[in-house]
Amino acid sequence: MLSAYIKAVTEASPQARVIFDRFHVQRLAHDALDEVRREEVRNASSETRAELKRTRWALQKNPWNLRRFEQQKVSMVQRTNKRLYRAYLLKETLLAVLDRRQINVASLKLDEWLAWACRSKLPPFVKLARTVRKYRDGILAYIQTRLNNGRVEGLNGKARVLTRRAFGFHDARSLIAMLFLCCGGVSVAPTQLCLFEVH
């Protein structure tokens, strides 16, 4: 489906540059890590299963945001489960590549990450590496331009909320008018009301 969309865009606008938003690449890495964690929980002995189950959020967070008890969970994973810790390092390394500013260094580091992920013996990361390799140019375009689609997704979210709140619209013009009213920066001040006492 994504390939068909990219093909349609490039046919309609040959000069367009396809850029993959960091959020979506990061999401794929987090999902791959969680798949490895769930598999390790399923295969763990009964005494380590409970400890591994409680590591999900610590492994997903940025290292600099970890609280002391979350750091201890990551350290426990490092000591007790090499596969899960390797998945954690793969996730963190890919995110570090996305933080790079120099495109040549980022390209080199991305290729190193792809080689590591392919030989990691972790099926979710092998699959992720195939996806990243397929869309490598678009990911590098993000690193070079830092463009993302956060504003568009925010507007789409507001449109969904407005549609839900209105229980649907009969035609597109009504939705567009409501979007302009709510998101267009128009401030509507109520007129002063005169209150009369009824005797």
Side-chain angles (χ1 to χ4, degrees):
M1 182 174 161
L2 184 59
S3 298
Y5 174 74
I6 292 170
K7 184 179 177 187
V9 167
T10 51
E11 283 177 3
S13 302
Q15 78 286 1
R17 189 171 184 191
V18 177
I19 298 173
F20 287 95
D21 193 340
R22 175 199 176 104
F23 170 79
H24 298 290
V25 178
Q26 189 169 322
R27 176 71 186 267
L28 291 174
H30 282 280
D31 290 347
L33 171 62
D34 203 44
E35 275 186 60
V36 173
R37 186 193 61 80
R38 279 188 266 122
E39 182 184 349
E40 292 303 304
V41 167
R42 278 193 302 270
N43 297 334
S45 62
S46 56
E47 56 270 2
T48 58
R49 182 174 293 137
E51 286 182 357
L52 284 177
K53 270 187 177 180
R54 294 189 207 108
T55 61
R56 180 178 185 195
W57 302 115
L59 294 173
Q60 297 287 352
K61 285 176 79 170
N62 292 320
W64 58 87
N65 285 337
L66 292 174
R67 296 186 180 136
R68 185 176 301 245
F69 74 93
E70 292 168 329
Q71 290 172 349
Q72 291 169 350
K73 287 180 181 183
V74 173
S75 295
M76 181 272 300
V77 169
Q78 182 180 10
R79 286 189 317 273
T80 62
N81 195 306
K82 299 300 180 195
R83 283 174 57 85
L84 184 54
Y85 191 67
R86 190 178 330 130
Y88 172 74
L89 291 177
L90 280 161
K91 185 263 298 184
E92 286 300 322
T93 306
L94 180 59
L95 301 188
V97 170
L98 295 174
D99 286 336
R100 295 277 179 177
R101 296 288 179 179
Q102 296 172 323
I103 190 65
N104 294 334
V105 175
S107 177
L108 177 69
K109 293 296 181 186
L110 187 59
D111 290 340
E112 290 173 2
W113 183 89
L114 285 167
W116 182 27
C118 285
R119 64 176 190 273
S120 69
K121 297 180 182 173
L122 300 170
F125 279 93
V126 173
K127 180 181 175 187
L128 174 59
R130 283 196 300 267
T131 303
V132 169
R133 182 172 281 121
K134 184 175 181 181
Y135 300 112
R136 180 181 181 278
D137 292 339
I139 293 168
L140 289 173
Y142 161 76
I143 292 169
Q144 191 171 32
T145 63
R146 295 289 177 206
L147 293 174
N148 63 54
N149 60 351
R151 289 184 181 194
V152 173
E153 291 195 11
L155 185 61
N156 286 343
K158 287 180 181 180
R160 282 192 296 275
V161 168
L162 286 172
T163 304
R164 204 174 315 122
R165 193 170 68 189
F167 298 101
F169 290 98
H170 291 291
D171 61 10
R173 289 177 300 168
S174 301
L175 174 60
I176 292 168
M178 188 59 77
L179 279 170
F180 273 116
L181 180 65
C182 294
C183 305
V186 176
S187 59
V188 180
T191 58
Q192 288 186 334
L193 299 174
C194 296
L195 299 175
F196 299 98
E197 288 186 24
V198 179
H199 295 284

Short mmCIF file of all heavy atoms in Angstrom, two decimals, residues 4-5 8 24 31 34 40 57-58 70-71 89 101 105 109 118 120-122 140 152 159 164 195:
data_model
loop_
_atom_site.label_atom_id
_atom_site.label_comp_id
_atom_site.label_asym_id
_atom_site.label_seq_id
_atom_site.Cartn_x
_atom_site.Cartn_y
_atom_site.Cartn_z
N ALA A 4 2.47 1.78 -3.37
CA ALA A 4 1.53 2.33 -4.34
C ALA A 4 1.34 3.82 -4.13
O ALA A 4 1.27 4.61 -5.09
CB ALA A 4 0.19 1.61 -4.23
N TYR A 5 1.30 4.25 -2.86
CA TYR A 5 1.16 5.68 -2.55
C TYR A 5 2.38 6.45 -3.04
O TYR A 5 2.25 7.50 -3.68
CB TYR A 5 0.98 5.87 -1.04
CG TYR A 5 0.96 7.31 -0.61
CD1 TYR A 5 -0.14 8.12 -0.84
CD2 TYR A 5 2.07 7.87 0.01
CE1 TYR A 5 -0.16 9.44 -0.46
CE2 TYR A 5 2.06 9.20 0.39
CZ TYR A 5 0.96 9.98 0.16
OH TYR A 5 0.95 11.29 0.54
N ALA A 8 2.31 6.74 -6.78
CA ALA A 8 1.32 7.74 -7.24
C ALA A 8 1.84 9.16 -7.03
O ALA A 8 1.67 10.03 -7.90
CB ALA A 8 0.01 7.54 -6.49
N HIS A 24 7.44 7.78 12.54
CA HIS A 24 7.02 6.48 12.03
C HIS A 24 8.17 5.46 12.07
O HIS A 24 7.95 4.29 12.38
CB HIS A 24 6.47 6.62 10.62
CG HIS A 24 5.24 7.49 10.58
ND1 HIS A 24 4.04 7.10 11.11
CD2 HIS A 24 5.05 8.76 10.13
CE1 HIS A 24 3.15 8.07 10.96
NE2 HIS A 24 3.74 9.08 10.38
N ASP A 31 8.11 -0.93 18.22
CA ASP A 31 7.29 -2.14 18.05
C ASP A 31 8.15 -3.39 17.95
O ASP A 31 7.81 -4.44 18.51
CB ASP A 31 6.42 -2.01 16.79
CG ASP A 31 5.30 -0.98 16.95
OD1 ASP A 31 5.05 -0.54 18.09
OD2 ASP A 31 4.71 -0.59 15.92
N ASP A 34 9.33 -4.29 21.39
CA ASP A 34 8.26 -4.87 22.20
C ASP A 34 7.96 -6.31 21.76
O ASP A 34 7.63 -7.16 22.59
CB ASP A 34 7.00 -4.01 22.13
CG ASP A 34 6.11 -4.24 23.33
OD1 ASP A 34 6.64 -4.29 24.47
OD2 ASP A 34 4.89 -4.40 23.14
N GLU A 40 10.48 -12.97 24.72
CA GLU A 40 11.35 -13.35 25.84
C GLU A 40 10.53 -13.63 27.09
O GLU A 40 10.86 -14.52 27.87
CB GLU A 40 12.39 -12.25 26.11
CG GLU A 40 13.42 -12.11 25.01
CD GLU A 40 14.17 -13.40 24.74
OE1 GLU A 40 14.77 -13.95 25.68
OE2 GLU A 40 14.17 -13.87 23.58
N TRP A 57 7.98 -0.31 29.85
CA TRP A 57 8.06 1.15 29.75
C TRP A 57 9.49 1.64 29.93
O TRP A 57 9.89 2.62 29.29
CB TRP A 57 7.10 1.80 30.74
CG TRP A 57 5.70 1.36 30.50
CD1 TRP A 57 4.90 0.64 31.34
CD2 TRP A 57 4.93 1.55 29.31
NE1 TRP A 57 3.70 0.37 30.75
CE2 TRP A 57 3.67 0.93 29.50
CE3 TRP A 57 5.17 2.19 28.09
CZ2 TRP A 57 2.67 0.93 28.54
CZ3 TRP A 57 4.16 2.20 27.13
CH2 TRP A 57 2.94 1.57 27.36
N ALA A 58 10.26 0.98 30.77
CA ALA A 58 11.66 1.39 30.95
C ALA A 58 12.44 1.22 29.66
O ALA A 58 13.28 2.06 29.31
CB ALA A 58 12.29 0.59 32.08
N GLU A 70 13.76 2.68 36.99
CA GLU A 70 13.73 2.25 35.59
C GLU A 70 15.14 1.93 35.10
O GLU A 70 15.34 0.98 34.33
CB GLU A 70 13.09 3.33 34.73
CG GLU A 70 11.60 3.51 35.02
CD GLU A 70 11.02 4.75 34.38
OE1 GLU A 70 11.74 5.76 34.24
OE2 GLU A 70 9.82 4.73 34.04
N GLN A 71 16.13 2.70 35.54
CA GLN A 71 17.52 2.39 35.21
C GLN A 71 17.90 1.02 35.76
O GLN A 71 18.62 0.25 35.11
CB GLN A 71 18.46 3.45 35.79
CG GLN A 71 18.35 4.79 35.10
CD GLN A 71 19.14 5.87 35.81
OE1 GLN A 71 19.61 5.70 36.93
NE2 GLN A 71 19.29 7.00 35.15
N LEU A 89 19.43 -2.05 22.58
CA LEU A 89 20.55 -1.31 21.98
C LEU A 89 20.30 -1.02 20.50
O LEU A 89 20.65 0.06 20.00
CB LEU A 89 21.86 -2.09 22.15
CG LEU A 89 22.39 -2.20 23.57
CD1 LEU A 89 23.65 -3.07 23.58
CD2 LEU A 89 22.66 -0.84 24.17
N ARG A 101 23.07 15.01 12.41
CA ARG A 101 22.87 16.22 11.60
C ARG A 101 23.61 16.16 10.27
O ARG A 101 23.16 16.73 9.28
CB ARG A 101 23.35 17.46 12.37
CG ARG A 101 22.57 17.73 13.64
CD ARG A 101 21.21 18.23 13.32
NE ARG A 101 20.44 18.49 14.54
CZ ARG A 101 19.23 18.95 14.54
NH1 ARG A 101 18.62 19.21 13.40
NH2 ARG A 101 18.59 19.15 15.65
N VAL A 105 27.63 11.24 7.62
CA VAL A 105 27.84 10.42 8.83
C VAL A 105 26.59 9.59 9.10
O VAL A 105 26.68 8.39 9.41
CB VAL A 105 28.18 11.32 10.04
CG1 VAL A 105 28.27 10.50 11.30
CG2 VAL A 105 29.47 12.09 9.79
N LYS A 109 26.38 5.55 9.37
CA LYS A 109 25.88 4.93 10.61
C LYS A 109 24.62 4.11 10.35
O LYS A 109 24.41 3.06 10.96
CB LYS A 109 25.60 6.00 11.68
CG LYS A 109 26.83 6.70 12.18
CD LYS A 109 27.75 5.73 12.89
CE LYS A 109 28.99 6.41 13.42
NZ LYS A 109 29.94 5.45 13.98
N CYS A 118 20.59 -6.96 10.70
CA CYS A 118 20.42 -8.16 9.87
C CYS A 118 21.07 -9.40 10.49
O CYS A 118 20.59 -10.50 10.32
CB CYS A 118 20.98 -7.92 8.47
SG CYS A 118 19.91 -6.89 7.47
N SER A 120 21.53 -9.78 13.79
CA SER A 120 21.19 -9.78 15.22
C SER A 120 20.50 -11.06 15.68
O SER A 120 20.40 -11.31 16.87
CB SER A 120 20.29 -8.60 15.54
OG SER A 120 19.01 -8.77 14.94
N LYS A 121 19.98 -11.85 14.75
CA LYS A 121 19.21 -13.06 15.06
C LYS A 121 17.94 -12.75 15.84
O LYS A 121 17.42 -13.60 16.56
CB LYS A 121 20.07 -14.08 15.83
CG LYS A 121 21.26 -14.57 15.05
CD LYS A 121 22.07 -15.55 15.83
CE LYS A 121 23.29 -15.98 15.02
NZ LYS A 121 24.20 -16.82 15.79
N LEU A 122 17.44 -11.53 15.67
CA LEU A 122 16.17 -11.13 16.27
C LEU A 122 15.20 -10.87 15.11
O LEU A 122 15.31 -9.83 14.44
CB LEU A 122 16.34 -9.86 17.11
CG LEU A 122 17.31 -9.96 18.29
CD1 LEU A 122 17.57 -8.58 18.88
CD2 LEU A 122 16.77 -10.90 19.35
N LEU A 140 16.89 9.05 5.09
CA LEU A 140 18.02 9.99 5.01
C LEU A 140 17.55 11.39 4.62
O LEU A 140 18.12 12.39 5.06
CB LEU A 140 19.07 9.47 4.03
CG LEU A 140 19.85 8.25 4.51
CD1 LEU A 140 20.76 7.72 3.40
CD2 LEU A 140 20.66 8.55 5.76
N VAL A 152 0.21 18.33 9.88
CA VAL A 152 -0.87 17.70 9.09
C VAL A 152 -1.61 16.68 9.94
O VAL A 152 -2.85 16.64 9.94
CB VAL A 152 -0.29 17.04 7.82
CG1 VAL A 152 -1.35 16.24 7.08
CG2 VAL A 152 0.31 18.09 6.91
N ALA A 159 -9.83 17.41 12.88
CA ALA A 159 -10.97 17.15 11.99
C ALA A 159 -11.76 15.94 12.49
O ALA A 159 -13.00 15.96 12.48
CB ALA A 159 -10.49 16.93 10.57
N ARG A 164 -16.59 13.85 15.10
CA ARG A 164 -17.19 13.04 16.16
C ARG A 164 -18.11 13.89 17.04
O ARG A 164 -19.20 13.49 17.40
CB ARG A 164 -16.07 12.41 17.00
CG ARG A 164 -16.49 11.16 17.71
CD ARG A 164 -15.35 10.46 18.44
NE ARG A 164 -14.13 10.35 17.66
CZ ARG A 164 -12.96 10.84 18.04
NH1 ARG A 164 -12.83 11.49 19.17
NH2 ARG A 164 -11.90 10.70 17.27
N LEU A 195 -29.30 41.99 30.16
CA LEU A 195 -30.17 41.14 30.95
C LEU A 195 -31.28 41.99 31.56
O LEU A 195 -31.04 43.06 32.12
CB LEU A 195 -29.36 40.45 32.06
CG LEU A 195 -28.24 39.55 31.58
CD1 LEU A 195 -27.45 39.02 32.78
CD2 LEU A 195 -28.79 38.40 30.78
#
